[in-house]
Structures are given as C-alpha cells and as structure tokens.
Amino acid sequence: QNLISKGHELANHSYSHPHLTSFKVNQLHNNLMNINRAFIYDQLNKTDSLFFNKFGQHLKPYWRAPFGEYNDQILMWAAEIGYKHIGWSAYCDTRDWVADRDSELYLTGEEIFQHLLDLESKGKLKGAVILMHLHTDRPVDKPYKILPKLIQILHERGYKIVPVSTLLTSSISA
C-alpha cells in the first residue's frame, strides 16, 4: 500500500515466475511446450486479479517476462490483453539475483554500484531501465542497500528517477 500511495507504478511479472522459452537450455527463445496464449493470459490475469482484490486497483499495463525470456509471439499474446513489455536496458542487469559468491556472474553490492557509475560516466544511463531486485537469496551483501547512495549521486548529477509511463512518453529515452 505504501508504494501505491507514493505514486510508484506497480506492474506485472507473472504469477509463478515460469521459464517461457528454451533460452536456459539452448540460448534460443523458442516457446516451451506448455507456453501458449492461454498460459500467458492466465499468468498475467491471475496476478492482476490478486492485486486488484488486495488493493482495489489494477496493475499498470506493463510487464516483464521472467528471466527476460520472451519472443514476438509471447509479446503479442501479452499485448492482446493490454500489456506492454518493459525490459532492462543494455548492460543494466545488475546480476543481483546471483547468490553464489563463486559464480563468475556474481557482483558484490560495491561492484554493482561501480558498474552503474561507470555506465553513467559513459552516458549509458540516460533513459535506462535498471534490473534490480528488493528480494535476494544472498545471506549478506544485499545489493539493494546501495540504492540510497546511488540515487543521491545520480540526483547530484542531474538525473531524475521517473516512472516507466513518464519514460515512455517523454524524450528522456532519446
């Protein structure tokens, strides 16, 4: 409720966070066997219905496919029921979802912070969407804790953090 009252745009991410394509197996975005129009409709509508029942309003008409797995057909099915897909910008996956410190993909909170500031210094954050999660399986080094410092620095450098709808309807992303 607090996020809603502060004007944040809450959007859809699916009901059960399923893999939608074969990307994990073969780096292709072919639909998995059970992924069809009815499945996509169900995932998005069920989540919106639960949200509506709890908060008395619908989710914003945006969604992000779990794991970033989608193709034109999946996007079309979601669009048929009013959803526009919003992905993250190039180089803006913070990989905060990687909990295994031994993984080559793992970045500490400080490394994520530095990576984002490096992107900013190269002019690659203007209009960007950054993938970052408030939930983490990491027992320590929770990357979201860099947000206050990062937001302060970005504000000092002239950035405004805006809702997706503003980003989509303005020249910010240009």
Side-chain angles (χ1 to χ4, degrees), residues 13 26 55 67 70 156 165:
H13 189 45
N26 60 14
F55 299 109
F67 311 103
Y70 61 89
E156 289 169 0
S165 62

Side-chain angles (χ1 to χ4, degrees), residues 62 80 167:
Y62 312 119
E80 287 172 358
L167 193 61

Side-chain angles (χ1 to χ4, degrees), residues 28-139:
L28 298 173
H29 283 289
N30 298 320
N31 290 3
L32 291 177
M33 197 173 341
N34 64 324
I35 305 304
N36 56 37
R37 175 182 274 112
F39 184 86
I40 298 298
Y41 281 25
D42 183 62
Q43 285 286 308
L44 297 173
N45 286 331
K46 188 172 189 177
T47 303
D48 184 66
S49 292
L50 289 169
F51 187 82
F52 184 84
N53 288 338
K54 177 78 174 169
F55 299 109
Q57 67 184 63
H58 292 283
L59 291 164
K60 296 298 179 190
Y62 312 119
W63 78 295
R64 182 174 65 79
F67 311 103
E69 295 177 4
Y70 61 89
N71 57 39
D72 288 344
Q73 188 172 50
I74 291 169
L75 294 179
M76 180 188 70
W77 292 332
E80 287 172 358
I81 55 172
Y83 285 97
K84 177 174 180 53
H85 189 264
I86 305 296
W88 56 90
S89 301
Y91 312 108
C92 289
D93 177 354
T94 63
R95 300 192 315 227
D96 62 340
W97 45 267
V98 179
D100 179 2
R101 286 178 144 318
D102 295 326
S103 169
E104 63 184 34
L105 296 176
Y106 186 90
L107 294 173
T108 65
E110 187 57 33
E111 288 170 327
I112 292 169
F113 178 78
Q114 285 305 317
H115 171 70
L116 293 171
L117 288 183
D118 288 347
L119 288 175
E120 189 281 325
S121 70
K122 295 173 184 170
K124 295 186 178 190
L125 282 188
K126 184 178 181 185
V129 174
I130 298 170
L131 176 64
M132 187 171 238
H133 302 82
L134 291 178
H135 169 79
T136 181
D137 290 332
R138 296 180 180 195

